[in-house]
C-alpha cells in the first residue's frame, strides 16, 4: 500500500511518502504542489492525506485533478481544512480559502448544477465538522454531534454563533 502525506510540513508520517516544498528532515519528495504535474506516475497511491494544506494552494480544481491522477481506483483521500466560520483561520494571510461541509461535492457530484470537468472524480465516503482541533477538549464530545446533526441548517443559521474549527473529508477516487 503506497500512501502520500501531501504538504506535510513538520507532520512526518511513517509509512507515507512525505511531500513538501521545503527540504527538511523526513521529507521524501521536495516539490511545490502548485507546480503541475507532480513527480509521480498515474495511479501510484492507495491513499492521500492532506491536513491543513489545501487552503494554501493557488487552484483547488487543478490540485484535485492532480490528486485524482496520482491515485489508484478506489484510493482513499483524507482532507482536513479550516471551516469558513473559524475566525482563527483568517489570521493566516497565506490562506486562500476555507471549507464548507459541502465544498467537495463539486468534485464528487453528478448533479446538473455541478457538471464540470472536475465532477465525478471522487465519491464522498464520510465528512464531518469538527468543533475544535484540540484533541483533549471535551467540547468536541458536546458540540460535534450537535453541529453534524444537520450541517445544512448549521452552516445556514448557526455557524456564526457557534463557529467550528475544521471540516474533515474522506473521499474515494473514481476511475
Amino acid at each position: 500500500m503506497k500512501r502520500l502525506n501531501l504538504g506535510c510540513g513538520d507532520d512526518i508520517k511513517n509509512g507515507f511518502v512525505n511531500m513538501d516544498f521545503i527540504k527538511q528532515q523526513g521529507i521524501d519528495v521536495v516539490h511545490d504542489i502548485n507546480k503541475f504535474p507532480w513527480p509521480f506516475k498515474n495511479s501510484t497511491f492507495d491513499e492521500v492525506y492532506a491536513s491543513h494544506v489545501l487552503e494554501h494552494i493557488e487552484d483547488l480544481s487543478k490540485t484535485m485533478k492532480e490528486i485524482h491522477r496520482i491515485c489508484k481506483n478506489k484510493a482513499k483521500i483524507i482532507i482536513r481544512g479550516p471551516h469558513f466560520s473559524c475566525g482563527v483561520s483568517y489570521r493566516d494571510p497565506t490562506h486562500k480559502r476555507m471549507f464548507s461541509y459541502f465544498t467537495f461535492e463539486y468534485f464528487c457530484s453528478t448533479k446538473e448544477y455541478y457538471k464540470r470537468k472536475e465532477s465525478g472524480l471522487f465519491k464522498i465516503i464520510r465528512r464531518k465538522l469538527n468543533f475544535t482541533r484540540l484533541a483533549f477538549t471535551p467540547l468536541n464530545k458536546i458540540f460535534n454531534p450537535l453541529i453534524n446533526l444537520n450541517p445544512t441548517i448549521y452552516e445556514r443559521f448557526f455557524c456564526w454563533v457557534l463557529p467550528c474549527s475544521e471540516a474533515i473529508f474522506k473521499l474515494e477516487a473514481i476511475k
Side-chain angles (χ1 to χ4, degrees):
M1 186 166 175
K2 194 150 187 182
R3 304 184 295 178
L4 175 65
N5 185 8
L6 185 63
C8 61
D10 294 331
D11 184 22
I12 306 302
K13 295 194 174 303
N14 291 328
F16 283 75
V17 174
N18 294 285
M19 180 174 131
D20 204 280
F21 71 104
I22 297 172
K23 185 176 181 165
Q24 61 182 354
Q25 188 169 349
I27 303 295
D28 303 302
V29 176
V30 178
H31 185 80
D32 182 349
I33 64 174
N34 289 306
K35 306 289 184 215
F36 304 100
W38 297 344
F40 306 110
K41 293 179 182 174
N42 294 352
S43 301
T44 298
F45 293 100
D46 299 289
E47 181 179 339
V48 173
Y49 180 74
S51 180
H52 291 272
V53 64
L54 296 185
E55 64 270 22
H56 299 277
I57 61 165
E58 299 294 330
D59 189 325
L60 185 59
S61 291
K62 284 183 181 177
T63 301
M64 292 305 292
K65 284 191 270 189
E66 189 68 1
I67 289 172
H68 183 265
R69 181 187 72 78
I70 66 169
C71 280
K72 293 178 182 176
N73 186 41
K74 298 190 182 264
K76 180 172 67 168
I77 299 93
I78 306 293
I79 299 168
R80 299 176 76 124
H83 188 262
F84 69 84
S85 68
C86 182
V88 174
S89 297
Y90 294 95
R91 291 181 189 170
D92 187 340
T94 66
H95 282 182
K96 307 220 182 310
R97 74 190 44 76
M98 283 22 136
F99 299 100
S100 161
Y101 183 85
F102 303 97
T103 297
F104 290 95
E105 283 184 3
Y106 182 87
F107 304 101
C108 300
S109 181
T110 55
K111 294 179 183 174
E112 193 58 38
Y113 57 88
Y114 279 136
K115 284 284 189 187
R116 305 279 189 278
K117 291 178 189 173
E118 300 87 359
S119 299
L121 297 177
F122 304 96
K123 179 168 80 173
I124 297 172
I125 303 301
R126 188 173 56 242
R127 56 190 162 171
K128 72 173 191 170
L129 300 175
N130 197 27
F131 184 72
T132 179
R133 286 178 62 192
L134 302 175
F136 59 84
T137 181
L139 295 177
N140 282 340
K141 290 180 182 175
I142 297 166
F143 290 116
N144 281 2
L146 190 62
I147 64 179
N148 285 288
L149 188 62
N150 190 323
T152 302
I153 301 271
Y154 168 75
E155 286 187 344
R156 179 80 169 98
F157 299 107
F158 300 110
C159 71
W160 300 114
V161 176
L162 188 66
C164 73
S165 176
E166 66 180 346
I168 304 169
F169 306 90
K170 180 179 181 182
L171 309 177
E172 180 180 274
I174 306 291
K175 297 222 173 178

